[in-house]
């Protein structure tokens, strides 16, 4: 009688373990599907890779369930113990081999959640590389620089150090141009610099924007200062605000061209 109840208990336990493994497998697959839908706008997941991840999780869950079931069957305890030991060794090997990969995946998830930068933001890395974030994948962040070259940075690397984000809070940029000139009328040269800067289409005027009045008062849209004096020349610094960080370099190039052209026309030597 005791043997009958023991066999019945083992049979019920095996059925419950299989049902639990099935439920856990389905919940895991639904969780991965939900994660993919939420992050699909920011992270591209290859369908083949995603399917592999779901099948791998199901395989691991049912593999563990089978090992537990073998423990319940008399005479197979040693086999189950051997399988547990093999699984432990295998997990250590896999963990060491994929440590960097999982680190990149976790870092990519943190980037999506906390958003230190987003696709379309202009960022600069500690090594001086800068550009626009073109893509954020499970493994890498892709940055498109001014030469239209793609800088591919592992997510674990980009989250380990600081990043200068020119877009996330305020996209406006203050361009500074230093010019050494020779002139008898310094004030006229300074006024001309201001006129050239303020006539550019990308010039930012806080008085014509929707920012607060207090913040507008703290921004000088175009300013010319004397920063150095020499025997033969004066160094002027033009500080002018640009509407967008992506247009700042083009605006600076346009201003240099206009300054050279109009100063030559006015007889101001550079």
């Amino acid at each position: 009688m005791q043997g009958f109840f023991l066999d019945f208990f083992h049979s019920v336990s095996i059925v419950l373990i299989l049902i639990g493994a099935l439920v856990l497998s389905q919940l895991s697959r639904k969780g991965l599907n939900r994660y993919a839908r939420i992050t699909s706008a920011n992270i591209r997941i290859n369908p083949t890779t995603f399917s592999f991840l779901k099948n791998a999780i199901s395989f691991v869950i049912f593999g563990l369930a089978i090992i537990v079931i073998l423990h319940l069957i008399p005479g197979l305890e040693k086999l189950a113990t051997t399988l547990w030991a093999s699984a432990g060794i295998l997990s250590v090997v896999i963990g060491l081999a994929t440590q960097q990969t999982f680190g990149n995946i976790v870092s990519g998830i943190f980037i999506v959640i906390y958003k230190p930068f987003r696709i379309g933001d202009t960022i600069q890395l500690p090594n001086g590389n800068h550009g626009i974030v073109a893509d954020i994948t499970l493994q890498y962040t892709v940055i498109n620089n001014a030469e239209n070259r793609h800088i591919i940075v592992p997510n674990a690397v980009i989250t380990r150090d600081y990043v200068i984000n020119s877009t996330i809070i305020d996209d406006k940029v203050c361009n500074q141009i230093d010019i050494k000139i020779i002139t008898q009328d310094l004030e006229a040269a300074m006024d001309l610099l201001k006129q050239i800067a303020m006539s550019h289409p990308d010039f930012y005027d806080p008085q014509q924007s929707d920012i607060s009045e207090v913040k507008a008062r703290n921004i000088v849209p175009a300013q010319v200062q004397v920063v150095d004096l020499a025997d033969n020349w004066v160094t002027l610094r033009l500080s002018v605000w640009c509407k967008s960080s992506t247009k700042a370099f083009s605006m600076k190039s346009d201003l240099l061209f206009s300054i050279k052209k109009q100063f030559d026309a006015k007889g101001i030597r550079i």
Side-chain angles (χ1 to χ4, degrees):
M1 191 70 178
Q2 185 177 1
F4 171 78
F5 281 111
L6 186 61
D7 291 340
F8 178 77
F9 172 75
H10 287 163
S11 300
V12 172
S13 299
I14 290 172
V15 172
L16 291 177
I17 291 171
L18 290 175
I19 293 174
L22 179 61
V23 171
L24 184 59
S25 174
Q26 292 300 318
L27 290 176
S28 300
R29 296 173 76 92
K30 288 183 179 179
L32 282 173
N33 286 331
R34 183 173 180 273
Y35 168 77
R37 288 196 301 271
I38 293 174
T39 61
S40 60
N42 297 312
I43 291 183
R44 295 180 184 176
I45 300 177
N46 185 280
T48 304
T49 304
F50 185 65
S51 177
F52 171 80
L53 287 174
K54 291 192 293 184
N55 293 331
I57 290 176
S58 297
F59 174 79
V60 171
I61 292 173
F62 281 105
L64 294 176
I66 291 173
I67 294 176
V68 174
I69 290 172
L70 291 177
H71 262 294
L72 298 176
I73 301 176
L76 297 179
E77 295 89 346
K78 292 184 178 179
L79 176 60
T81 303
T82 302
L83 291 175
W84 275 118
S86 301
I89 295 172
L90 181 62
S91 64
V92 172
V93 173
I94 294 176
L96 292 175
T98 60
Q99 182 177 4
Q100 185 175 359
T101 300
F102 280 111
N104 289 330
I105 293 175
V106 171
S107 297
I109 294 173
F110 285 161
I111 291 173
V112 172
I113 294 175
Y114 296 108
K115 296 181 176 61
F117 52 83
R118 302 152 299 180
I119 294 177
D121 284 359
T122 301
I123 66 173
Q124 179 176 334
L125 303 177
N127 59 8
N129 287 322
H130 63 279
I132 299 174
V133 179
D135 197 6
I136 303 173
T137 69
L138 281 174
Q139 288 287 326
Y140 304 101
T141 295
V142 182
I143 302 170
N144 191 18
N145 66 10
E147 299 177 345
N148 199 29
R149 297 179 183 272
H150 289 81
I151 304 170
I152 302 174
V153 186
N155 289 330
V157 173
I158 203 169
T159 56
R160 195 164 51 233
D161 214 329
Y162 71 88
V163 173
I164 299 174
N165 192 328
S166 302
T167 309
I168 194 169
I169 296 177
D170 195 343
D171 193 34
K172 296 178 290 298
V173 173
C174 183
N175 273 324
Q176 290 188 335
I177 302 174
D178 289 354
I179 305 173
K180 294 183 174 65
I181 64 171
I182 301 174
T183 181
Q184 297 297 324
D185 193 347
L186 184 60
E187 291 184 355
M190 296 173 70
D191 290 339
L192 182 57
L193 275 177
K194 278 189 179 181
Q195 293 174 16
I196 294 172
M198 297 175 68
S199 63
H200 194 278
D202 292 325
F203 167 73
Y204 172 73
D205 186 356
Q207 302 298 332
Q208 299 178 359
S209 67
D210 56 357
I211 65 173
S212 66
E213 183 179 349
V214 174
K215 189 173 181 180
R217 286 200 302 264
N218 294 329
I219 297 178
V220 180
Q223 186 177 29
V224 180
Q225 298 169 298
V226 178
V227 295
D228 192 19
L229 295 173
D231 294 336
N232 299 321
W233 68 81
V234 178
T235 302
L236 299 180
R237 173 170 295 170
L238 169 64
S239 301
V240 55
W241 284 86
C242 180
K243 296 177 180 178
S244 171
S245 60
T246 58
K247 299 178 180 179
F249 181 79
S250 297
M251 178 182 181
K252 187 173 183 178
S253 299
D254 293 342
L255 290 177
L256 288 172
F257 178 79
S258 298
I259 290 169
K260 171 62 177 172
K261 185 177 179 180
Q262 295 193 39
F263 272 33
D264 286 348
K266 296 289 185 179
I268 302 174
R269 294 176 58 192
I270 298 178

